[in-house]
Amino acid sequence: LNRNGQNLNGTEPLRISEETRREQIAQLGKILTAEQQKQMNALMGEPFANQKTLAQEHYVSLRNAKGGTGFGPGGTFGGTNPQHPSLNVVRHELVSKELQIMPAQLDKLEALAKIWTEESVKLNAGEQRRTLAAKIDADIAAVLSANQRGRFQQIELQRKINGATFKTTVILDSAIAGQLKLTSQQNETL
């Protein structure tokens, strides 16, 4: 999205109704086995109470990234480049509180944000940028304790599912699909 809330090609982003979202979730229930649904619920964990607030702030920050009216320097979510959502989410006040991030951990996450901001602008949107993003993701995981990592993964999955226009795209993520052990027929249906 650009700063006007439009897709980069200038068109309005696809928005779906709450009814359509509920229908998609019901459809997933028909595609996944009972065991896969149980596994998906385990992957998502307890609902993050502030998911809606987090999503709203993230959306607004993307709209205002260059306008300076968002939630951090330059209007960005969490005060850094909005193109690394995991880094921005883990540093968000509500998530940090949920994860009980200690000040020393937050300092390390802020240092990662600085690295991302400085290095990502030098890279094209290709393989080098994906490599840097993967390294930052690994560094985030190294900063967090095992319990924090587990809960953060749940919050991230909830964020992705709640933010996805089409819920099936989240399920098709290789990490999720692998854990759910989707069949080839389920992959095709999704």
Side-chain angles (χ1 to χ4, degrees), residues 26-156:
Q27 188 67 19
L28 282 176
K30 294 176 185 175
I31 296 169
L32 300 177
T33 67
E35 185 59 36
Q36 288 169 325
Q37 290 177 33
K38 186 177 173 182
Q39 178 68 20
M40 187 67 185
N41 288 336
L43 290 172
M44 289 183 57
E46 288 293 316
F48 178 52
N50 295 299
Q51 194 65 251
K52 188 172 184 176
T53 301
L54 194 65
Q56 289 170 337
E57 288 182 12
H58 182 66
Y59 175 75
V60 169
S61 73
L62 290 174
R63 287 187 61 155
N64 299 321
K66 295 192 178 189
T69 57
F71 297 93
T76 58
F77 180 75
T80 190
N81 186 330
Q83 295 179 353
H84 197 292
S86 295
L87 184 56
N88 295 338
V89 170
V90 75
R91 295 170 43 248
H92 190 280
E93 179 182 2
L94 296 171
V95 176
S96 292
K97 183 177 179 182
E98 174 85 7
L99 298 178
Q100 299 178 346
I101 300 284
M102 302 304 291
Q105 290 175 300
L106 190 56
D107 289 345
K108 291 176 184 176
L109 293 170
E110 293 297 333
L112 290 175
K114 184 176 180 184
I115 291 168
W116 172 258
T117 300
E118 291 172 357
E119 297 299 319
S120 67
V121 296
K122 300 175 190 174
L123 304 173
N124 293 329
E127 189 61 35
Q128 290 178 329
R129 193 177 178 99
R130 284 189 291 278
T131 300
L132 176 61
K135 181 185 179 329
I136 295 290
D137 286 339
D139 291 344
I140 292 169
V143 168
L144 302 176
S145 71
N147 287 341
Q148 289 171 325
R149 266 192 312 277
R151 182 61 180 145
F152 180 61
Q153 288 170 346
Q154 292 171 342
I155 292 170
E156 273 289 85

Side-chain angles (χ1 to χ4, degrees), residues 136-182:
I136 295 290
D137 286 339
D139 291 344
I140 292 169
V143 168
L144 302 176
S145 71
N147 287 341
Q148 289 171 325
R149 266 192 312 277
R151 182 61 180 145
F152 180 61
Q153 288 170 346
Q154 292 171 342
I155 292 170
E156 273 289 85
L157 180 57
Q158 292 173 34
R159 179 187 66 79
K160 289 174 183 175
I161 286 178
N162 290 333
T165 302
F166 298 103
K167 308 300 181 206
T168 56
T169 59
V170 176
I171 305 293
L172 289 172
D173 176 271
S174 61
I176 303 301
Q179 290 185 50
L180 295 178
K181 297 182 176 112
L182 295 178

